[in-house]
Amino acid sequence: MDKVPPNHDLNPHQSVIAGSATPCDLQIQSRNRHFASAPMENRHWIAGNPYGTAFFNALSVTFPRGETFFIEVLKKYRHDAPEKLGREIGAFVRQEAVHSREHAFFNRHVESVGYDISRLEDTLAGVMDGIREMPPIYHLVATMCLEHMTAIMAAEFIANPAYFKNADPEQRNMWLWHASEEIEHKGVAYDTWLHVTKDWSRLRRWAFKTAFMIRISIGFAKNRSKGILDLLRQDGIAGPRAWFGLANYALFAPGPFRRTLGTWFQFFKPGFHPWNIDDRDLVQLAESEYEAAIMDQPGDSEPVADLKDRRKSGRLPKVA
């Protein structure tokens, strides 16, 4: 496994990057897991639910191209970054490369059960091409904003067992693995942003990132909804039924958009940093869930507790 070793010369109460809250003892490791040989057992692999399946399938379409872009962006800053951040960018790149690979396989499995994802991929390509035409600082702020959105969704997916209840086991394991690593490296793009904009005023930095986060969040919600509805139409679900089902899934049960709204808003607070919420316990929970799933120990009478029962209080605020 590729690990970023702790820097024992650092004072644990200080950060290398001004404004960073990244733990000095954080270790970012690429687990390099493989799920390519795990085809989907069911077209609606999340407990037969077409809405949950469409939600995660549409999200997965974004990862191969999106994470390749994030890698390209952060690699440009690696050699000019402080030593600790440079190592973390290297670990980020290794994790994201594996994520991109595994979601490419996942997307092929989505196609193998009869879905056409070409329109979703074309929409994403158009968005990414538009961002690439912007100046480099926009590439970095886009990466930083999208990494925050990915990290808060990852924490929600691990913390709330409802998302993958009765899902195909291998697909569930893949998403838990990916989510855990998104949490681990959630501060890397933000610390890179802090380093690159260190000569900016706090007001300029806040205004720039705020405007872009609002812009990219609107586009993300619009395009993911469009993709979900496209996949639902392929299941014969369209019109008001599709819109109502999507709204119910996204906002109420299990409600990923509603339940991450509070942590999304934290991005706009002065002094924000992704590691203001230290949720490394969720990484451990995802790891234990994965290990329990692959171990063949029929004599073990101690089951793995539900994620919600093992969360640390105050770590993942919810919006009622």
Side-chain angles (χ1 to χ4, degrees), residues 49-87:
N49 183 341
Y51 301 101
T53 299
F55 177 88
F56 282 97
N57 288 353
L59 188 59
S60 180
V61 171
T62 69
F63 288 129
R65 189 184 295 267
E67 293 182 326
T68 298
F69 173 77
F70 300 159
I71 289 170
E72 293 172 357
V73 171
L74 290 197
K75 282 178 69 175
K76 296 175 183 177
Y77 300 101
R78 180 178 181 180
H79 297 295
D80 293 329
E83 182 181 355
K84 178 176 182 289
L85 177 58
R87 292 196 306 269

Side-chain angles (χ1 to χ4, degrees), residues 2 5 21 23 41 54 62 88 95 114 118 122 131 134 148 174 176 201 241 243 248 291 299:
D2 298 312
E41 299 175 14
T62 69
E88 291 174 347
Q95 285 189 333
S118 61
D122 289 345
I131 294 176
M134 298 178 180
H148 175 63
M174 191 276 286
L176 289 177
S201 69
R241 180 187 172 198
W243 280 101
N248 181 66
E291 295 299 334

